[in-house]
Amino acid sequence: LLLTADCYWNGTWRLPPENVCECTSGSYLSTNSINSIFSCVLCPVDTYKSAAGDAMEECSVCPMRSHTVGLTGGVECVCEDGWYRGVGESVNESCVQSPSVVVNVFVERRTSGGV
C-alpha cells in the first residue's frame, strides 16, 4: 500500500480518508475535521496504549488501582503502592493487594498406614 500525504513542519500530516495510519505505542490519532490534518498525540494521563498499530484505536483507561505516574504517553500503567499484578498477567489486568500475613494456622499431622 502506497500512502501519499502532505507532511507539515510540526509533525502533522494530511491524508486522504481511505488511507490507514499507525501511531506508536502510547499515542493515538487525533483528527482536525476542518482541514483533515491528522497527528499522533500522546495518551492522556492515566490512559495507555501498549502497542503500536491502528491509529484509530483509542487509549485505554488504566485498570483499577493503577496509573501512569502523572505522565502522558503511557504504554502501560503501574500498580499503586501495595497493589500488584500476578506473574504473567497483562497490563490490562487490575491490580490486587498481596495476601495478608498468615496467622492462626493449625497443622494436623496424619500418618499413613495402620489404624
Side-chain angles (χ1 to χ4, degrees):
L1 174 65
L2 176 65
L3 297 177
T4 48
D6 296 325
C7 186
Y8 298 98
W9 64 271
N10 62 357
T12 62
W13 63 89
R14 190 170 56 113
L15 294 169
E18 66 275 0
N19 288 325
V20 177
C21 297
E22 283 192 2
C23 289
T24 60
S25 54
S27 64
Y28 69 100
L29 188 68
S30 177
T31 308
N32 180 330
S33 59
I34 295 171
N35 54 13
S36 296
I37 293 178
F38 299 82
S39 62
C40 292
V41 295
L42 297 175
C43 294
V45 171
D46 293 336
T47 66
Y48 72 104
K49 186 174 168 191
S50 58
D54 182 3
M56 299 306 285
E57 181 184 334
E58 301 265 332
C59 299
S60 300
V61 174
C62 288
M64 282 184 58
R65 298 295 185 173
S66 67
H67 55 91
T68 59
V69 197
L71 302 174
T72 59
V75 295
E76 69 178 18
C77 301
V78 296
C79 293
E80 296 174 2
D81 287 342
W83 295 79
Y84 307 90
R85 286 193 185 95
V87 175
E89 288 185 327
S90 80
V91 296
N92 301 327
E93 300 291 328
S94 294
C95 300
V96 296
Q97 283 187 310
S98 63
S100 61
V101 175
V102 178
V103 293
N104 299 325
V105 176
F106 177 75
V107 178
E108 182 179 319
R109 184 175 183 166
R110 295 180 183 225
T111 59
S112 61
V115 182

